[in-house]
Structures are given as C-alpha cells and as structure tokens.
Amino acid sequence: MTANISYTTEDISKLLKISKLTVYDLIKKGELPAYRVGKQMRVDASDLEAYKSRAKSGTAAAALKVEADEPGYAPQARLQPVVSGDRSSLVITGQDMSLDILAKHLERRTPSRRPLRAYVGSMDSLIAMYRGESDIVSTHLLDGDTGAYNVPYIRKLLIGHAYVVVTLVQRTAGLYVQRGNPKGLQGWEDLAQEGLRLANREKGSGARVLLEEQLRLHGIPARQLLGYEQEETSHLGVAGKVAIGAADVGVGIEKAVSMVGGVDFIPLIQERVDLVMMKNPENLGWIQGVIDVLQSDSFLGELRPIHGYDLSQTGQIVFEV
C-alpha cells in the first residue's frame, strides 16, 4: 500500500532520473502536489503515481514538450504554467541561509505564494532561471577581468530577458587555512606553493568560480593543487576538511569559521550576493514584495546577529533591464 508513503524531492529525482530542479519545476507548475514538513517538501506516493500515469497517457502538461536535460540526467519536461489550488509557488535557489529567512518572511507576507527552496550553486541557479525552473535566484559570481560581481554573468545567460538584480547581502570571502596557518598563506598568489592540498567546491558554485578566476589571473595551473577534483558541496564542508587536516587550504566565506573549530581565515575579497528575478507581467507584484521584505526592519533584524554579513546595500537594485 502506498497510502502512507511519501517522497522527498531527492527521492523523486532518483526515481524519475531527473534533476532536483526539474522536480521543483513540476511542483511549481502544479504537476506534482507537494506539502511542507519542516524545511522539506514531500510528495505522496499516490500523487507521484498519478503524475506518471498522466505522463504515460499524454494527458499531463509534461507530455507537451520534452527537451534534453543536463548531462547525467534523462530528458526532462518543459511545462506550461499551472497553478495548484489557490496557491502558486516561488522556487528560490541558492545556498546561503539568508534565503531560508527570506522564504519564511515571504510566506507570511504573500500567503498566495508558497516558497520552495532549492539548494544549488550560483551558476546552476542562473541556468535554472533561464530554463524557467526558478523564480528567485541568488548568485555570487566574480568576473575576474572587471572585478564586478554577478551582472556580467547574468547579462550573458539571460540575454533577451527583462529582469531585476537586487542585493541580498555582502560578505567576506577568502582562504580557510589550518590553525596557525602553517603554510604561511596570505594571498591568492600563495596558491602556487608546491604540494598544497585543496578542499574544493562543486563546479558552478560561487566559491569555485572565485577560485578559478584567481588561479587564471595569477597564472596558477589548477591541476597543481592536490585534491582539485575532489568536491565539497558547502562552505562548512570545505572548512571542515581543512580543520581536520585533510586539506591545507580551501576557499569560502568568513561566516563558516565561526561554526567550525580548528580553522583560521584569511580575508581577501568582499563579495556581493544578489537576487535575480524575471520581470514578467505576472511577477511584478511579488517582485516588489520581495524588495519590501529585504528592506524591512524585521528581515534585517534577523540577519544582523549573523556573523559575516554586511547589510548596507541589502534591498538595493543594482541592475535592471
């Protein structure tokens, strides 16, 4: 019996051999009814089976148009907008904890919208927005040639679209090193030191892009860093590897140091985390609602105690087309 069985988005991703973002897209567009248990979205087995039956018979919106998904996944559906019941969803992608706080405030402020969180890196978030799988994207991608954050990447990926870019937070990024900094690392150029063991982030994450841009600018071959191909999926994961001596260095944000013992931090750059939102006619109302939340005393009051955030530009529009 499946009456009491439910699946997480990760379960469904594995069962259907599609990405988690595609699962969120199905939920967002009303094809998969979902409900929240704590911070987790769940789908009942009966609803999953009903979706599969509709897809097989060609009556589901998923059967309207199928395109290739990213490498490693089966082809996925591109869906037409559907509203589930009297609530439509807002998919918020990104990994910073401030996005969880934003989702909570949006749920209270806009009860007609149901925030869904997808924890993916900056580049994958922008690609998801281009595909129509995400509504609010966070990104912190450094363009090494200009020193600018985010906008150069957004303009290339979302060409031909109308969107607004709003600052979420600013935060300090740099190098995690072992307590006492035994390798004497002080700057990006020191990554050329022979024999350094790196704790790296996944491809497409802001920290990975920051590292790769600095290696390029300083003429340091990436493969020279031992462990370059081994990936962690969070700042805490990278800092933890350095703390236990499994790596000499990693790239991440200052905030993680306060949560992981046995690691020191070398501050090197102030990065800007922005939100990107498409300016479709149906989105304009809730976009202003997002900006209002970002500028609200209640939202800022929850972020101020969190170590490592600069909120001086939170809620400011930095680019718009």
Side-chain angles (χ1 to χ4, degrees):
M1 293 182 64
T2 62
N4 297 320
I5 298 175
S6 66
Y7 298 107
T8 66
T9 53
E10 185 173 1
D11 292 335
I12 295 174
S13 172
K14 293 176 181 177
L15 287 169
L16 299 184
K17 294 183 171 57
I18 58 177
S19 72
K20 282 183 68 176
L21 280 171
T22 303
V23 178
Y24 277 107
D25 193 41
L26 293 172
I27 295 172
K28 171 190 168 187
K29 302 296 172 57
E31 286 293 302
L32 273 177
Y35 55 93
R36 189 190 304 277
V37 178
K39 291 185 177 181
Q40 196 175 67
M41 298 303 300
R42 300 193 73 89
V43 174
D44 286 337
S46 58
D47 289 322
L48 176 60
E49 291 304 316
Y51 165 74
K52 289 164 64 177
S53 296
R54 293 196 306 275
K56 289 177 182 177
S57 67
T59 60
L64 293 177
K65 185 178 181 183
V66 176
E67 298 175 0
D69 196 4
E70 61 266 28
Y73 289 105
Q76 73 174 47
R78 302 293 185 225
L79 307 174
Q80 301 300 318
V82 177
V83 176
S84 178
D86 60 354
R87 296 189 79 194
S88 54
S89 301
L90 290 176
V91 177
I92 306 173
T93 60
Q95 297 174 323
D96 194 86
M97 65 183 298
S98 61
L99 296 167
D100 297 317
I101 298 173
L102 174 64
K104 180 183 68 175
H105 281 260
L106 286 176
E107 187 155 34
R108 290 200 300 256
R109 190 182 188 95
T110 57
S112 63
R113 296 280 179 171
R114 178 179 57 183
L116 302 177
R117 287 284 287 113
Y119 297 89
V120 295
S122 293
M123 192 68 75
D124 286 343
S125 292
L126 285 173
I127 292 171
M129 173 160 279
Y130 177 79
R131 290 175 169 173
E133 298 170 348
S134 182
D135 301 294
I136 303 173
V137 157
S138 79
T139 180
H140 56 105
L141 296 169
L142 173 70
D143 177 53
D145 293 325
T146 63
Y149 262 92
N150 303 321
V151 174
Y153 293 89
I154 296 166
R155 293 182 68 178
K156 291 176 182 177
L157 282 170
L158 301 184
I159 188 169
H161 294 275
Y163 53 84
V164 59
V165 183
V166 184
T167 295
L168 177 60
V169 296
Q170 295 181 99
R171 57 193 193 183
T172 303
L175 301 177
Y176 301 129
V177 297
Q178 294 177 15
R179 183 61 56 84
N181 193 10
K183 297 294 183 178
L185 305 177
Q186 296 299 326
W188 302 112
E189 63 279 2
D190 294 327
L191 296 179
Q193 190 178 128
E194 289 188 14
L196 277 184
R197 298 171 300 154
L198 174 72
N200 206 358
R201 283 293 303 277
E202 77 277 14
K203 295 179 180 68
S205 66
R208 177 69 169 257
V209 171
L210 173 59
L211 170 65
E212 291 176 342
E213 284 290 80
Q214 296 299 336
L215 293 178
R216 177 179 66 85
L217 292 172
H218 289 85
I220 303 172
R223 306 301 177 221
Q224 178 177 315
L225 290 161
L226 304 178
Y228 184 84
E229 298 296 340
Q230 299 175 14
E231 300 177 351
E232 299 293 325
T233 58
S234 69
H235 295 294
L236 291 177
V238 171
K241 277 289 189 70
V242 176
I244 65 174
D248 300 310
V249 64
V251 174
I253 59 173
E254 183 179 14
K255 182 175 62 177
V257 177
S258 64
M259 304 170 71
V260 177
V263 62
D264 289 341
F265 182 71
I266 310 297
L268 294 177
I269 192 169
Q270 188 79 350
E271 67 176 17
R272 197 180 73 233
V273 183
D274 290 331
L275 298 182
V276 189
M277 296 169 282
M278 290 287 199
K279 287 171 39 180
N280 301 324
E282 62 271 19
N283 294 352
L284 296 181
W286 63 255
I287 286 176
Q288 186 57 52
V290 172
I291 295 174
D292 289 343
V293 167
L294 294 176
Q295 296 175 350
S296 69
D297 290 339
S298 58
F299 178 73
L300 294 172
E302 286 200 54
L303 293 190
R304 286 192 184 99
I306 301 175
H307 181 72
Y309 283 157
D310 177 351
L311 307 177
S312 60
Q313 296 183 34
T314 298
Q316 294 185 17
I317 295 175
V318 296
F319 192 77
E320 187 172 10
V321 292

